């Protein structure tokens, strides 16, 4: 099962915060442990285990309690003499769980009671592990510059075929276990990878089962935001503080200008900083012809945001609530990646989204002649 972690670890960064009132309790046992050994609950982020809670062994037992916003993959890690000797995956949710862990040298999975989600997760991992190894060969061929173009194309075709099978198996598993926390969690982790048709099938089934699970509700909200802010729709106003603390409204800019661009970015975003000279070039060329830009920063550090504006020489207005990806502006437009742009005409209509570089310049040349 651990082979699966390296394949899908990127998906596990998608955990989000949701409100719940219950809590979890983990009563743990480790017969091989010594008093004073440390035990961690950890997240996997980009191949690294990041501790989120810790305790110590006493009389071969350990205990955790807390509140989990949504079912999520976690790892229980026992450290002995500064080395991890036991790493076990569980699905953590607000339930009472009894967990016995074993030294990794025994190759025994943790014995987990009180968590149906963990049992289902293990079933899911077995399905994944029956498919994932088949991708290694074609993936290697696709990225081998020494093989022929025909061989690389054949490998891509094979990989696409395997992906389709994997999408179908994931969709089948999720649908078979609706409604459940594990189906909701897997939907959250794999929503984009499932493809539009499979995602719709799952969402429709969850809707018919009156699902109130958090990932489902978040994705539905994202779809609603997408629908409201698609090309041809009236723009959604954003009102946030500027660098000086005074509130800026996008609507005020739209009324005064032939074309307004909302530019979603952040000081920590490398692609945003790389794209900024192109946006400045566009601004300098078309500002006098009726173009305005307003930056919506997804920063959380005001100083970093302010310093980046100065260093990059950004001349247009900036706004941010310093809430990162939870920014009111980003949520309103379902921004999932930056840089992102929204082009709005003076009528308040969204005429284009996510144009960059030459595409942006070409579009403005058509409008602001």
């Amino acid at each position: 099962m651990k082979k699966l972690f390296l394949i899908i670890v990127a998906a596990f960064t998608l955990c989000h915060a949701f409100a719940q009132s219950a809590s979890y309790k983990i009563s743990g046992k480790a017969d091989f442990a010594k008093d004073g050994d440390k035990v961690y609950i950890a997240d996997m982020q980009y191949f690294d285990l990041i501790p989120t809670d810790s305790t110590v062994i006493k009389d071969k037992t350990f205990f955790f309690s807390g509140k989990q916003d949504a079912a999520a993959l976690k790892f229980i890690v026992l450290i002995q003499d500064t080395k991890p000797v036991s790493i076990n995956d569980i699905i953590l949710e607000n339930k009472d769980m009894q967990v016995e862990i074993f030294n990794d040298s025994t190759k025994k999975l943790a014995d987990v009671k009180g968590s149906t989600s963990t049992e289902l997760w293990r079933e899911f991992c077995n399905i994944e592990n029956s498919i994932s190894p088949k991708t290694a060969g074609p993936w290697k061929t696709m990225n081998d510059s020494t093989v022929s173009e025909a061989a690389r194309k054949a490998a891509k075709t094979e990989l696409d075929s395997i992906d389709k099978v994997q999408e179908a198996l994931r969709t089948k598993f999720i649908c078979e276990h609706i409604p459940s926390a594990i189906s909701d969690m897997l939907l959250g982790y794999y929503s984009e990878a499932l493809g539009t048709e499979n995602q719709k099938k799952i969402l429709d089934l969850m809707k018919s089962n009156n699902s109130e699970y958090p990932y489902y509700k978040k994705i539905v909200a994202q779809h609603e935001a997408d629908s409201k802010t698609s090309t041809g729709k009236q723009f959604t106003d954003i009102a946030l503080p500027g660098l000086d603390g005074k509130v800026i409204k996008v609507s005020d800019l739209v009324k005064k200008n032939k074309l307004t661009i909302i530019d979603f970015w952040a000081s920590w975003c490398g692609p945003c900083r790389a794209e900024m000279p192109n946006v400045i070039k566009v601004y300098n060329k078309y500002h006098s012809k009726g173009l305005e830009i307003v930056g919506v920063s997804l920063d959380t550090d005001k100083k970093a945001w302010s310093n980046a504006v100065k260093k990059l020489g950004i001349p247009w207005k900036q706004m941010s609530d310093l809430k990162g990806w939870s920014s009111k502006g980003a949520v309103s437009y379902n921004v999932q990646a930056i840089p992102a742009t929204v082009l709005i005409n003076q009528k308040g209509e969204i005429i284009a989204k996510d144009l960059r570089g030459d595409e942006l310049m070409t579009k403005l040349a058509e409008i602001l002649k």
Side-chain angles (χ1 to χ4, degrees), residues 10 58 152 155 170 177 189 251 257 293 340 344:
K58 185 176 181 180
R152 287 200 293 273
R170 288 171 178 170
H177 296 94
Y189 287 167
S251 55
N257 298 278
I293 301 177
I344 306 164

Side-chain angles (χ1 to χ4, degrees), residues 197-213:
E197 185 177 331
N198 288 329
Q199 188 185 107
K200 185 179 184 305
K201 180 179 179 181
I202 293 167
L203 292 175
D204 287 346
L205 188 56
M206 286 186 166
K207 182 179 180 180
S208 68
N209 280 272
N210 298 314
S211 179
E212 287 296 320
Y213 287 98

Side-chain angles (χ1 to χ4, degrees), residues 62-310:
F62 60 91
F63 181 79
F64 287 102
S65 65
K67 181 177 176 181
Q68 185 61 28
D69 297 319
L73 176 67
K74 300 284 182 175
F75 296 84
I76 294 180
V77 184
L78 189 146
I79 304 294
Q80 196 169 78
D81 300 325
T82 72
K83 296 180 180 179
V85 294
S86 178
I87 303 175
N88 290 274
D89 54 323
I90 64 168
I91 303 303
L92 188 60
E93 55 185 323
N94 293 322
K95 291 187 176 182
D96 291 350
M97 303 167 61
Q98 297 77 49
V99 179
E100 182 175 5
I101 60 176
F102 307 94
N103 194 303
D104 281 351
S105 61
T106 67
K107 298 184 179 180
K108 290 177 66 175
L109 296 175
D111 183 12
V112 181
K113 294 183 173 64
S115 174
T116 303
S117 291
T118 299
E119 294 174 12
L120 291 173
W121 166 249
R122 290 178 176 177
E123 287 183 29
F124 179 77
C125 288
N126 288 334
I127 295 170
E128 286 282 291
N129 285 333
S130 70
I131 299 296
S132 295
K134 297 178 182 179
T135 65
W139 182 261
K140 183 178 179 181
T141 301
M142 275 180 59
N143 292 277
D144 186 349
S145 60
T146 65
V147 302
S148 67
E149 182 65 23
R152 287 200 293 273
K153 285 183 177 179
K156 185 179 185 307
T157 299
E158 183 181 358
L159 193 61
D160 288 344
S161 177
I162 295 170
D163 285 345
K164 289 293 183 184
V165 172
Q166 197 164 40
E167 287 173 15
L169 288 173
R170 288 171 178 170
T171 301
K172 181 174 183 290
F173 186 90
I174 292 171
C175 289
E176 285 177 345
H177 296 94
I178 292 172
S180 70
I182 191 70
S183 284
D184 185 60
M185 185 194 83
L186 292 173
L187 170 65
Y189 287 167
Y190 291 107
S191 59
E192 297 301 323
L194 290 169
T196 303
E197 185 177 331
N198 288 329
Q199 188 185 107
K200 185 179 184 305
K201 180 179 179 181
I202 293 167
L203 292 175
D204 287 346
L205 188 56
M206 286 186 166
K207 182 179 180 180
S208 68
N209 280 272
N210 298 314
S211 179
E212 287 296 320
Y213 287 98
Y215 287 109
Y216 164 76
K217 290 169 70 175
K218 181 178 177 64
I219 291 171
V220 168
Q222 289 175 341
H223 285 193
E224 289 176 352
D226 270 343
S227 176
K228 291 177 182 177
T229 61
S230 60
T231 301
K233 296 291 182 67
Q234 282 286 311
F235 81 104
T236 297
D237 200 8
I238 304 174
L240 295 174
L243 281 165
D244 60 2
K246 295 180 181 179
V247 173
I248 299 169
K249 289 185 177 181
V250 171
S251 55
D252 290 339
L253 302 176
V254 170
K255 292 174 187 176
K256 298 175 182 177
N257 298 278
K258 293 180 181 178
L259 185 66
T260 301
I261 298 176
I262 306 176
D263 180 37
F264 294 94
W265 74 293
S267 66
W268 44 261
C269 169
C272 300
R273 298 181 76 118
E275 175 67 9
M276 201 59 72
N278 294 326
V279 185
I280 291 173
K281 182 179 178 181
V282 164
Y283 181 83
N284 290 337
K285 183 170 183 177
Y286 289 105
H287 180 56
S288 62
K289 296 183 179 181
L291 170 68
E292 188 53 87
I293 301 177
V294 58
V296 178
S297 168
L298 272 61
D299 278 282
T300 56
D301 184 330
K302 186 172 183 178
K303 186 175 180 180
W305 171 33
S306 177
N307 288 344
V309 171
K310 292 175 183 176

